Amino acid sequence: AQSVTQPDIHITVSEGASLELRCNYSYGATPYLFWYVQSPGQGLQLLLKYFSGDTLVQGIKGFEAEFKRSQSSFNLRKPSVHWSDAAEYFCAVGFASGGSYIPTFGRGTSLIVHP
Amino acid sequence: KAGVTQTPRYLIKTRGQQVTLSCSPISGHRSVSWYQQTPGQGLQFLFEYFSETQRNKGNFPGRFSGRQFSNSRSEMNVSTLELGDSALYLCASSSSSGFSTDTQYFGPGTRLTVL
């Protein structure tokens, strides 16, 4: 069965510092990979997604992620964090089913930004 | 264009009761998916509807059910509520299939508390 691991429950960074959130997956076929952000009291917002092609994916809000098949990873990065980036971040892998896809989410990483 | 709306936003029920939650997708979107988010289990896929048909279902008991109407609005129902059903229920819509290349847009969720 597919699974997604986000090893870091919390990450604290200073504003302006770089950020990398880790995500590892287990899936037998070519994965469809996603990163979502959830601010307090809000639903999820898609940051970026990977289906095929270039393994470096650009997303919204200055985020990017790199798919590394050999490491089964899809880490999220941002060169300079802003205080407004403080939120919960979820990695997800989608597997095909019934003409669509079913997502499996990681447990999330809470990002704390210090001024 | 209006986003995904969910009603009600907050709900308090007692054990044994049943509850119905509503989701109105973005205009023109035909796929609606439901998710349960709890601190213990994280984000879990409940089911997906497309053109009034359930296309996928997650690993939840039969007490959880849903439907989609011809205008793409969707409802989910939970019968015989248990304390463990307390959660944030998220709805997401996309223009076609649930989790393919089309981006899913999430609503703010309905916070259900079971006493």
Side-chain angles (χ1 to χ4, degrees):
Chain A
Q2 68 289 338
S3 66
V4 179
T5 302
Q6 294 180 246
D8 304 304
I9 298 175
H10 303 282
I11 280 192
T12 302
V13 299
S14 297
E15 191 170 14
S18 63
L19 171 70
E20 182 170 32
L21 302 182
R22 296 183 290 164
C23 174
N24 293 96
Y25 67 90
S26 172
Y27 184 53
T30 301
Y32 295 86
L33 298 162
F34 308 80
W35 273 101
Y36 284 90
V37 61
Q38 185 178 33
S39 298
Q42 304 291 319
L44 275 69
Q45 181 181 25
L46 179 70
L47 287 174
L48 45 79
K49 57 189 177 184
Y50 170 79
F51 293 105
S52 64
D54 192 350
T55 56
L56 185 61
V57 182
Q58 300 299 320
I60 63 172
K61 303 185 179 187
F63 286 94
E64 67 177 26
E66 186 172 12
F67 170 54
K68 293 184 177 180
R69 184 185 300 275
S70 61
Q71 298 177 20
S72 297
S73 70
F74 189 57
N75 294 348
L76 182 72
R77 300 192 296 248
K78 186 170 184 177
S80 178
V81 170
H82 188 261
W83 64 266
S84 61
D85 293 324
E88 190 87 14
Y89 291 81
F90 294 92
C91 179
V93 58
F95 67 95
S97 176
S100 180
Y101 296 94
I102 296 178
T104 297
F105 290 89
R107 296 306 299 269
T109 297
S110 178
L111 174 64
I112 301 165
V113 180
H114 280 316
Chain B
K1 188 185 273 190
V4 178
T5 58
Q6 293 187 244
T7 56
R9 292 291 311 278
Y10 302 91
L11 204 50
I12 299 175
K13 292 285 189 179
T14 57
R15 280 180 298 174
Q17 287 186 310
Q18 73 166 19
V19 67
T20 299
L21 312 182
S22 180
C23 172
S24 293
I26 291 172
S27 177
H29 284 190
R30 297 168 62 192
S31 170
V32 174
S33 297
W34 289 89
Y35 300 87
Q36 182 196 64
Q37 186 176 24
T38 62
Q41 299 298 318
L43 265 163
Q44 295 182 284
F45 171 78
L46 276 159
F47 27 64
E48 181 212 354
Y49 286 87
F50 180 71
S51 293
E52 301 179 66
T53 300
Q54 186 180 87
R55 185 153 61 176
N56 281 300
K57 189 177 192 302
N59 188 27
F60 278 82
R63 300 186 296 106
F64 291 81
S65 63
R67 59 177 175 168
Q68 186 180 35
F69 302 95
S70 58
N71 62 357
S72 294
R73 190 178 69 86
S74 177
E75 289 180 347
M76 67 162 283
N77 184 79
V78 187
S79 62
T80 319
L81 284 166
E82 300 177 359
L83 294 179
D85 297 333
S86 294
L88 181 67
Y89 290 89
L90 293 167
C91 166
S93 75
S94 65
S95 58
S96 60
S97 56
F99 216 74
S100 68
T101 56
D102 296 318
T103 296
Q104 280 197 330
Y105 294 88
F106 282 78
T110 294
R111 172 74 62 185
L112 172 65
T113 301
V114 182
L115 302 177

